[in-house]
Amino acid sequence: MKYISTRGQNSQKLSFNQILLAGLAPDGGLYLPETYPQISADELQVLREASQKSYAELAFLLLQKFIDSDDISAQDLRKIVEKTYTPQIYKYSRLPENAVQITPLTKINENLYLQELSNGPTLAFKDMAMQLLGNLFEFVLQKYNRQLNILGATSGDTGSAAEYAMKGKKNIRVFMLSPHGKMSDFQRAQMYSLNDENIFNLAVKGMFDDAQDIVKAVSGDAEFKAKYAIGAVNSINWARVLAQIVYYFQGYFLATANNNQKISFAVPTGNFGNICAGHIAKQMGLPIERLILATNENDVLDEFFKSGIYRPRKSAETFVTSSPSMDISKASNFERFIYDVLEKNSAEVKKYFENLVENQQFSLQDKLTDLAKFGFISGKSSHQDRLQTIKKIYQQTQGKILIDTHTADAVKVATDLQNADEKIVVLETAQAVKFEKTIIEAIGEKPIRHSDFANIENLPQHFEVVENNVADVKKIIEKNC
Ligand SMILES: *Cc1c(COP(=O)(O)O)cnc(C)c1O
């Protein structure tokens, strides 16, 4: 399997290991496999049986289709997935006896299910991909005898998922910038309570955008970047999308009795990473009926799927909402989908995305019927919708099922759009305890915490406050490398 850039059909084809540590392709595009492996009916049955053995086994068979053995041998790949997808790491299931399934289903009613993707150490679905990334990075760095200094900015979930995945890994350090005093107490406690030698929490005196600007400036200094092997783990990383394909298969197998059935997935969407994996699973031949995309008030993608016009907003036009991980107005993985819509014509993709910089929008209005054939449908949700949905599910299930705000966006849109007899699996992307304030607003009670998190705010915190200043951040990196 070779990889290409969405913007350059004729540029060099690369192997998995060559793109694993890379961000954007040099031409500004995103990396994608040349073709999506096709799953035959026989093979789908083999995968179903593998999923009954273990999630790791299913992941192994699917990942092998995308990673040549020259890059990672079958034996090593198996070790990596077995180390990643264990019930000890994904242990925070609603029904602890189901933790062995890694991403178990919870039934809301006959045709509506939740797929628990947030049972990992940071209680958000980003662990599903990030934990694999940590082990892949460690393997590849050791193989080529390289080091990596991950530099990132976070307003919450991504930073902690990255730190929990990379902590204690050989040849890797993480320098994570966060806005000083701006994260929730729980998020801050999660990140800053880590005490591993290779994790550096830098609290910048400024806002998230300031932290992000420092990261851009440091990464933009080519000499510094090369000297200190600066890398990223942002959501455009191909391996993150790849890891997410696996749980669509697992969700399908858990929700159906045989491979003649079809189901739909509803996905709370921000950067289009999660649902992009669903799109690829469908293109590989997984019997997915529809992909139901849910946004919050930041509805750039809902607007696109309704009108064919893609119009990213500026950060000043982005609303701060109670589903904060979806407060995104420029979907960084969207180009991967548009590449398929434009029938893999990279010259066209390049034209659309380069013009986007100047015109701030593009239109695929004449392709709305083509869009429909990919099975997408969309809707949006508001703060009031989230509160009502959380309360409704909680009451309907006699207090057994409490969902978080992002999952609520998807449940709301899924129930609005559901056809008669359509079976929908809603991807549960975070746990309610992370959003205590909104949960109290919705049901009038505090969500119950697992004992592992009971006292998290009182643990000693490890971080360094830094000025909103590029030079100071560079000095810290130099000192610690
Ligand atoms: C990141 C995140 C999302 C959005 O996922 P994308 O892949 O960016 O579309 C949704 N919910 C939660 C809880 C998240 O952390």
Side-chain angles (χ1 to χ4, degrees), residues 124-126 157 268-274 325-326 328 404 406 429-430:
F125 91 103
K126 296 199 169 62
D157 286 346
T269 299
N271 268 319
F272 204 82
N274 195 352
S325 298
M326 292 156 67
I328 287 163
D404 98 294
H406 305 76
T429 53

Side-chain angles (χ1 to χ4, degrees), residues 159-401:
S160 56
E163 291 188 355
Y164 279 79
M166 305 296 166
K167 71 190 175 85
K169 295 272 184 290
K170 291 184 208 84
N171 302 320
I172 302 177
R173 293 182 198 83
V174 179
F175 296 89
M176 192 56 67
L177 278 54
S178 50
H180 185 41
K182 302 288 186 311
M183 292 190 295
S184 77
D185 292 346
F186 189 93
Q187 285 176 320
R188 193 164 47 230
Q190 262 191 322
M191 273 182 63
Y192 296 175
S193 63
L194 288 179
N195 191 18
D196 298 77
E197 272 178 14
N198 69 332
I199 302 294
F200 301 88
N201 285 310
L202 309 180
V204 177
K205 288 188 187 167
M207 304 296 287
F208 169 71
D209 285 336
D210 299 316
Q212 182 79 31
D213 287 344
I214 294 176
V215 170
K216 280 189 193 147
V218 175
S219 312
D221 178 343
E223 200 181 316
F224 187 88
K225 186 177 177 205
K227 182 167 178 200
Y228 291 101
I230 302 290
V233 287
N234 43 27
S235 82
I236 58 165
N237 182 289
W238 163 252
R240 283 182 60 182
V241 178
L242 176 58
Q244 293 167 359
I245 293 173
V246 178
Y247 55 68
Y248 283 88
F249 280 82
Q250 170 84 341
Y252 173 77
F253 294 135
L254 290 172
T256 56
N258 63 62
N259 297 340
N260 299 322
Q261 293 173 283
K262 278 195 165 188
I263 61 164
S264 297
F265 285 94
V267 188
T269 299
N271 268 319
F272 204 82
N274 195 352
I275 203 163
C276 186
H279 161 69
I280 295 171
K282 182 167 163 62
Q283 294 304 307
M284 289 169 73
L286 186 67
I288 295 176
E289 181 79 45
R290 301 198 293 174
L291 290 161
I292 301 168
L293 180 151
T295 71
N296 60 20
E297 291 87 336
N298 296 296
D299 58 353
V300 175
L301 291 170
D302 181 41
E303 185 176 280
F304 173 78
F305 282 99
K306 292 207 165 97
S307 68
I309 293 172
Y310 181 54
R311 190 174 59 86
R313 322 274 202 268
K314 300 197 181 64
S315 40
E317 296 168 274
T318 306
F319 301 105
V320 176
T321 76
S322 48
S323 45
S325 298
M326 292 156 67
D327 291 347
I328 287 163
S329 297
K330 188 166 159 280
S332 55
N333 277 291
F334 195 48
E335 187 167 331
R336 290 193 162 110
F337 173 65
I338 295 300
Y339 179 77
D340 288 341
V341 174
L342 297 174
E343 292 165 6
K344 304 189 187 289
N345 183 335
S346 51
E348 285 277 291
V349 175
K350 190 170 153 76
K351 203 176 75 193
Y352 277 100
F353 280 89
E354 285 182 354
N355 287 344
L356 184 61
V357 179
E358 202 174 309
N359 303 335
Q360 285 158 39
Q361 65 173 59
F362 65 66
S363 169
L364 292 175
Q365 270 171 310
D366 54 337
K367 296 208 162 54
L368 276 176
T369 43
D370 296 348
L371 279 176
K373 84 172 183 247
F374 288 101
F376 276 82
I377 182 159
S378 72
K380 63 187 277 194
S381 152
S382 67
H383 180 67
Q384 283 310 321
D385 292 329
R386 285 188 279 284
L387 296 180
Q388 277 168 19
T389 307
I390 291 166
K391 187 171 174 187
K392 188 181 81 185
I393 300 291
Y394 190 68
Q395 288 178 340
Q396 275 178 5
T397 60
Q398 287 84 42
K400 286 195 192 71
I401 303 178

Side-chain angles (χ1 to χ4, degrees), residues 122-163:
T122 74
L123 307 180
F125 91 103
K126 296 199 169 62
D127 290 330
M128 288 303 300
M130 212 66 98
Q131 289 285 325
L132 179 72
L133 208 61
N135 289 325
L136 286 171
F137 276 15
E138 187 174 54
F139 176 83
V140 168
L141 291 170
Q142 212 152 3
K143 176 165 172 170
Y144 301 109
N145 193 18
R146 285 175 53 185
Q147 302 254 325
L148 181 69
N149 292 305
I150 294 168
L151 176 66
T154 186
S155 54
D157 286 346
T158 310
S160 56
E163 291 188 355

